[in-house]
């Protein structure tokens, strides 16, 4: 299988680095497109981000066998997730759910995520099934990404579920939350600065790993969350699954189940894809329909 791991707008590709290594070690091709340059300007970010992911996938598929680093920052036209986000434990996102990491990273060097590409190697021949996987705020981007790359499956990992009808927009509750945050030249604080400093340490206890993730956080324009994200007519693909990690995404997991999608549960924290990558990767494989998956029962 070819896995495209899509990071949320409020975080960067480093959040997927550990899972990318696990999936690559299992013999799969893995790409972690870097969308950190994708949010400015906010208008049209979703289409540009989906195009950047498709470009990264095409480059990865065409490359020689061997380690493949995640694509570098998507140009000024790249992008990130939409619907809102609240505490590291959750938030009021677009689909009535939490989105602790709902937005893309700013311009900057690929940083630690480049290691994800090295870890992400290419274990399968080009032409295998494409599976798109989104975490947190990247969930609203998955329909466009799946459409662009012709994905056979889409998997949400503690992520916002896009609108069932019409474009996805941030919830009123989340917009009200954002309006309480201090702005600097029209930009929001970094996601980890929305909460008590202890919250991020609780999510990722390892200081070095936490530092790499925090270093990639962008300061998104407040206008970013005024944008509606289209849901193409091709959505959904043949297989869609949902993996819930934290209670903050109860509403999204329930919505996924209501749509008839398999929902699996790995109780813990929102950033457990960083701290428990082997377990999360196993659940992703199960939802993708790979015999090498395993883990916790479906709800």
């Amino acid at each position: 299988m070819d896995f495209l791991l899509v990071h949320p707008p409020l975080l960067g590709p480093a959040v997927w680095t550990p899972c990318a290594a696990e999936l690559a070690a299992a013999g799969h091709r893995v790409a972690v497109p870097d969308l950190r340059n994708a949010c400015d300007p906010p208008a049209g970010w979703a289409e540009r981000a989906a195009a950047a992911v498709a470009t990264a996938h095409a480059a990865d598929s065409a490359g020689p066998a061997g380690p493949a680093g995640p694509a570098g920052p998507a140009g000024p036209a790249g992008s990130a997730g939409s619907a809102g986000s609240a505490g590291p434990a959750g938030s009021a996102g677009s689909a009535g759910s939490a989105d602790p990491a709902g937005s893309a990273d700013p311009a900057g060097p690929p940083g630690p995520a480049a290691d994800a590409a090295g870890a992400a190697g290419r274990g399968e021949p080009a032409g295998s099934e494409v599976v798109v996987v989104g975490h947190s705020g990247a969930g609203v981007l998955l329909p466009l990404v799946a459409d662009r790359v012709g994905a056979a499956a889409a998997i949400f990992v503690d992520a916002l579920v896009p609108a069932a009808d019409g474009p996805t927009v941030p919830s009123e509750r989340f917009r009200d939350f954002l309006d309480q945050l201090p702005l600097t030249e029209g930009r929001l604080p970094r996601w980890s600065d929305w909460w008590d400093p202890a919250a991020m340490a609780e999510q990722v206890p390892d200081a070095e790993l936490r530092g790499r993730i925090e270093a990639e956080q962008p300061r998104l324009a407040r206008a970013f969350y005024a944008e509606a994200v289209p849901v193409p007519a091709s959505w959904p693909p043949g297989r869609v699954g949902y993996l819930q990690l934290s209670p903050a995404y109860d509403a999204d997991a329930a919505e996924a189940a209501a749509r008839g999608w398999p929902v699996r549960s790995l109780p813990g924290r929102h950033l457990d894809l960083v701290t428990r990558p082997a377990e999360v990767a196993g659940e992703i494989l199960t939802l993708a329909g790979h015999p090498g998956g395993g883990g916790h029962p479906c709800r």
Side-chain angles (χ1 to χ4, degrees), residues 34-159:
D34 187 341
L35 305 178
R36 288 179 292 167
N37 288 351
C39 336
D40 287 318
W45 71 262
E47 292 87 348
R48 296 191 304 265
V53 174
T55 298
H57 172 58
D60 181 71
S61 298
S79 165
S82 98
S85 156
S91 136
S94 79
S97 144
D99 162 310
S103 201
D105 281 69
D115 296 338
R122 300 181 171 95
E124 296 188 2
S128 61
E129 282 193 328
V130 177
V131 179
V132 295
V133 188
H135 172 246
S136 196
V140 299
L141 189 59
L142 288 192
L144 283 174
V145 172
D147 181 70
R148 284 289 191 131
V149 302
I155 299 172
F156 295 78
V157 176
D158 227 34

Side-chain angles (χ1 to χ4, degrees), residues 254-284:
E255 175 62 22
R259 297 187 191 185
W261 302 347
V263 176
R264 298 182 69 83
S265 177
L266 189 62
R269 304 184 188 282
H270 185 59
L271 296 185
D272 277 356
L273 71 166
V274 177
T275 58
R276 300 164 66 190
E279 294 170 86
V280 171
E283 295 290 350
I284 289 172

Side-chain angles (χ1 to χ4, degrees), residues 1 3 19-30 119-120 122-124 278 281-282 285 290 292-293:
M1 291 180 171
F3 285 92
C19 272
E22 295 289 340
L23 292 169
H28 302 282
R29 297 170 65 97
V30 187
R122 300 181 171 95
E124 296 188 2
L285 288 172
H290 191 276

